[in-house]
Amino acid sequence: MYLDRILYPITALGPGERIAIWVAGCSRECPYCANPELWSRHDEQKIEPERLANYINAMKDKKIDGITITGGEPFDQVEALIGVINELQIETEILVFTGYKIEEIKENPVQNRLLKAIDVLIDGEYINELNDGKSTLRGSTNQRIHYLNSKVIPQYEEYLIEGRKIQNFVYEYNTLSVGIHNP
């Protein structure tokens, strides 16, 4: 699979302290995308799904409230992500962001397999004109939150009330801003 970065603890992309995974590669390439640098894949981004799962499993002593998978386009790497999820030794809620609509995913037997392995899906392409600057966990108002596991609804309802969040990370003289940004 192609992995750009993994960060912990992330609180700006879902409830609690989360592991956030950014995959590389996107076939959708939405205009005004927050991560256009992740549209392309590069050889140095290749990682075996088992290796990523082992890295996450090594964090099992930390407080992990969830995993957020974004990108790039996660549904362009379904088999690899299913491999990662199947190798996880921690039980935690999984949220995935995608530019696809859930209806498209359900029609695709391969993509639908990933849909069955996650708890929450935020779907729909980003549309800059529909970024209202306040929709929690959604860059634009056309994007929808789908609870595929009803047990997670209370924690998400509480989180959504808090509004948009941004976290900034500094590493190697670079700054990375994580979260749903205003237009």
Side-chain angles (χ1 to χ4, degrees):
M1 70 179 289
Y2 292 85
L3 172 71
D4 186 75
R5 58 188 168 255
I6 180 170
L7 291 173
Y8 172 87
I10 298 294
T11 58
L13 294 174
E17 294 183 0
R18 311 176 68 81
I19 295 172
I21 299 167
W22 284 263
V23 299
C26 180
S27 60
R28 302 195 59 91
E29 299 184 4
C30 301
Y32 301 100
C33 171
N35 298 314
E37 74 279 8
L38 301 181
W39 291 353
S40 300
R41 296 177 176 174
H42 306 284
D43 286 341
E44 64 270 13
Q45 295 170 314
K46 284 184 183 178
I47 185 172
E48 292 296 322
E50 298 79 21
R51 184 171 173 213
L52 177 56
N54 289 339
Y55 181 78
I56 294 168
N57 289 334
M59 298 174 67
K60 65 184 172 197
D61 293 336
K62 299 197 179 291
K63 180 181 185 278
I64 299 171
D65 297 309
I67 296 174
T68 297
I69 304 171
T70 188
E73 176 51 64
F75 279 87
D76 287 351
Q77 299 189 60
V78 168
E79 296 295 342
L81 288 173
I82 289 171
V84 171
I85 292 167
N86 287 341
E87 293 291 324
L88 291 178
Q89 296 171 0
I90 58 171
E91 286 193 36
T92 191
E93 167 264 313
I94 299 174
L95 160 67
V96 176
F97 285 88
T98 181
Y100 291 97
K101 291 184 178 177
I102 195 170
E103 294 82 6
E104 296 172 270
I105 295 167
K106 287 181 176 180
E107 290 175 5
N108 182 315
V110 175
Q111 289 182 333
N112 197 33
R113 287 183 55 225
L114 179 58
L115 196 62
K116 292 177 180 182
I118 65 174
D119 301 287
V120 180
L121 179 78
I122 299 181
D123 78 340
E125 71 178 67
Y126 173 73
I127 300 174
N128 196 51
E129 296 78 24
L130 298 179
N131 185 337
D132 64 0
K134 60 186 175 187
S135 296
T136 310
L137 286 179
R138 292 169 293 144
S140 54
T141 57
N142 62 299
Q143 295 174 320
R144 303 172 293 176
I145 301 173
H146 301 275
Y147 300 106
L148 308 173
N149 175 353
S150 60
K151 292 178 183 176
V152 303
I153 294 174
Q155 69 195 47
Y156 273 83
E157 286 178 341
E158 195 174 302
Y159 181 83
L160 293 172
I161 292 169
E162 297 172 13
R164 287 187 177 181
K165 298 178 183 182
I166 301 295
Q167 285 176 272
N168 293 311
F169 291 85
V170 178
Y171 64 99
E172 298 177 2
Y173 303 103
N174 292 303
T175 302
L176 177 65
S177 186
V178 175
I180 307 297
H181 294 81
N182 294 341

